[in-house]
Amino acid sequence: MLVGLAFVILLLIGTPIGFSIGIAGMVGVVQMGGGQFLAMGPSRMFNSLDIFPFLAMPFFILAGEIMNHVGITQQLMRFAHVLVGHFRGGLAHANMVASIMFAGLTGAATADAAAFGKTLVPEMVRQGYRRDYACAVTAAGSIIGPTIPPSGIMVVYGSLMGVSIGGLFAAGILPGLLICIVCMAVIALGAARNKLPKAEARASFMDLARSFAKSIAALLMPVIILGGILGGVVTPTEAASVAVAYALALGLFVYRNISFSALCRMLLRTAIISGVIFVIIGFASTLGWWMSFNRVPQAIAETLLSISENRYVLILLIIGLLLAIGMIMDVTATLIILAPVLAPLGAQIGLEPIHAGLIFIIALNISLMTPPVGACLFVLSSVTGEKLEKIALKLWPFLIAEVAVLILFAFWEDMAMLIPRWLGFA
């Protein structure tokens, strides 16, 4: 009780989520065994971070920073627009397609939201889109980034839960593509109501070929990363370092627009982003220790099982819990706290580890675009100046469509595990 109260009070007074978790965890550790247990806290935090696959995260973040700097984002946007610009609301459709392409570069929803918020949203507004609608489309597409590999949140989940990261990467491909398709359907169905611009002329084959040629260097990056990991040539961590080397080679020898000072700024931003994630992971380990000591995971599992023993009802309860907590808490913190609690319950009802991880990841990705604390909403609001509540109002059709995709893959195990099984991960 005291631990929960401390955590809530710290959040209410504006304490950063990582430190709120850490202080609450230390209160719990003192309750467990006083100063003797408290002295063991630093070693437990270090051990929770001393996991080799975690090195992939800063490398993927740095690769995304470099690709953004060298101008790959604009090339991908132009290519996406050539592909789908002939539909009504072409730029909105292009936003979704570009999110798939961009997913292979960063694996982070907030990075996608920031990049598109600075470039594509202003262009959409210039062409007649309402700014709140343009932001909503961008937010809806941003969660494709951490669903389609490489994905930072998949690295965290796989490392913590001992699940194949390559298997999670393989499982994320179909849901990410389907999210794009259903969001494009939402755009098409609401085109008249939202007064989207009329369709443009279809691009010629030569225009398509020229745009593809300019984008080929960026499009090769996810092929190299995924081909290496899924083919068993490299580990995710090694693939992340290859991604950095490839991005640097493009910036230094192809585009020639990386200076030493720019590289230093990118390294600093990577360190800050990685540091925030690792602080949350390290401090969450103490809270997780307290929860395990007090059998909190078992109590939650018993409570859910007392409601129903039906597999599909329990899956819905797990999804509802993840979406609800994700609305009010940082995604990484939610994952680290709840995964050890709910994953054993998933095993009890027969979920394969990769399938359970996919449900966790899609649900938490969706929470990135839900108020009141959806990170992508805050990023877009700060970048574009649009009010958060106006963006949220335009998001509901996309949110419903993406939750439907989540439920489909949660219930249809054969579809969720199709690619991982084909590649031998399950």
Side-chain angles (χ1 to χ4, degrees):
M1 181 64 182
L2 184 59
V3 173
L5 184 62
F7 181 63
V8 171
I9 291 173
L10 288 166
L11 283 181
L12 290 176
I13 63 175
T15 307
I17 182 69
F19 294 106
S20 298
I21 291 170
I23 295 169
M26 285 187 279
V27 170
V29 169
V30 170
Q31 280 186 322
M32 286 161 49
Q36 184 178 357
F37 273 41
L38 191 61
M40 296 165 60
S43 65
R44 292 193 69 91
M45 283 189 280
F46 176 81
N47 290 335
S48 70
L49 294 170
D50 189 21
I51 299 174
F52 179 71
F54 276 163
L55 282 174
M57 279 192 295
F59 279 122
F60 279 133
I61 293 167
L62 179 58
E65 288 282 342
I66 296 170
M67 296 295 264
N68 269 337
H69 178 82
V70 300
I72 292 297
T73 306
Q74 289 76 13
Q75 294 287 0
L76 292 179
M77 288 177 187
R78 282 192 282 270
F79 181 50
H81 191 249
V82 168
L83 288 175
V84 295
H86 55 278
F87 296 123
R88 180 168 184 177
L91 263 183
H93 291 294
N95 196 321
M96 289 296 164
V97 174
S99 293
I100 289 181
M101 300 175 186
F102 205 63
L105 307 183
T106 65
T110 51
D112 291 18
F116 289 0
K118 292 175 183 175
T119 54
L120 199 49
V121 169
E123 181 61 26
M124 291 176 73
V125 173
R126 277 194 293 272
Q127 293 200 18
Y129 294 81
R130 286 174 56 97
R131 189 168 57 176
D132 55 354
Y133 181 80
C135 289
V137 170
T138 303
S142 68
I143 74 159
I144 296 173
T147 305
I148 289 182
S151 164
I153 194 171
M154 288 181 180
V155 172
V156 174
Y157 184 92
S159 303
L160 288 175
M161 304 307 298
V163 178
S164 166
I165 296 173
L168 290 171
F169 280 6
I173 295 172
L174 282 181
L177 294 175
L178 188 55
I179 287 172
C180 176
I181 292 169
V182 298
C183 286
M184 290 178 72
V186 170
I187 292 168
L189 292 171
R193 185 180 67 255
N194 291 299
K195 300 178 181 178
L196 301 188
K198 300 288 185 181
E200 301 174 10
R202 184 186 293 268
S204 67
F205 176 77
M206 288 305 299
D207 288 336
L208 183 60
R210 280 193 293 269
S211 182
F212 176 75
K214 291 178 180 178
S215 306
I216 187 66
L219 295 172
L220 279 176
M221 185 169 173
V223 174
I224 293 169
I225 295 170
L226 287 182
I229 295 172
L230 301 181
V233 179
V234 292
T235 67
T237 305
E238 292 165 343
S241 61
V242 169
V244 172
Y246 180 74
L248 272 175
L250 287 181
L252 292 173
F253 305 116
V254 178
Y255 295 96
R256 299 182 181 180
N257 58 358
I258 292 183
S259 64
F260 179 74
S261 60
L263 182 60
C264 288
R265 288 193 296 272
M266 287 184 274
L267 288 169
L268 179 60
R269 283 196 297 271
T270 300
I272 292 171
I273 297 169
S274 304
V276 169
I277 295 171
F278 288 141
V279 163
I280 293 172
I281 294 173
F283 281 144
S285 67
T286 60
L287 187 59
W289 182 22
W290 172 83
M291 292 172 70
S292 299
F293 186 86
N294 289 280
R295 296 180 56 82
V296 173
Q298 292 86 341
I300 293 175
E302 289 168 6
T303 300
L304 293 178
L305 286 169
S306 69
I307 297 172
S308 174
E309 293 186 2
N310 182 281
R311 170 190 173 96
Y312 298 109
V313 172
L314 288 170
I315 289 174
L316 282 176
L317 289 172
I318 290 171
I319 289 172
L321 182 61
L322 289 169
L323 290 175
I325 295 181
M327 289 175 67
I328 58 174
M329 199 161 79
D330 176 83
V331 168
T332 306
T334 304
L335 175 66
I336 295 165
I337 293 171
L338 288 186
V341 174
L342 297 178
L345 176 60
Q348 279 185 257
I349 60 177
L351 289 177
E352 290 198 35
I354 291 175
H355 187 201
L358 183 66
I359 294 171
F360 265 84
I361 288 157
I362 298 175
L364 292 179
N365 285 345
I366 290 174
S367 72
L368 286 167
M369 53 178 267
T370 54
V373 295
C376 291
L377 296 184
F378 279 104
V379 168
L380 283 164
S381 180
S382 63
V383 168
T384 65
E386 185 59 87
K387 291 182 178 179
L388 188 145
E389 56 270 22
K390 292 182 69 176
I391 302 173
L393 284 174
K394 291 290 185 180
L395 258 176
W396 283 108
F398 298 102
L399 182 59
I400 292 168
E402 291 179 359
V403 170
V405 172
L406 166 60
I407 293 172
L408 172 67
F409 279 90
F411 285 0
W412 193 359
E413 182 178 301
D414 288 341
M415 176 62 78
M417 297 298 296
L418 180 65
I419 296 180
R421 285 172 181 164
W422 179 56
L423 293 172
F425 287 106

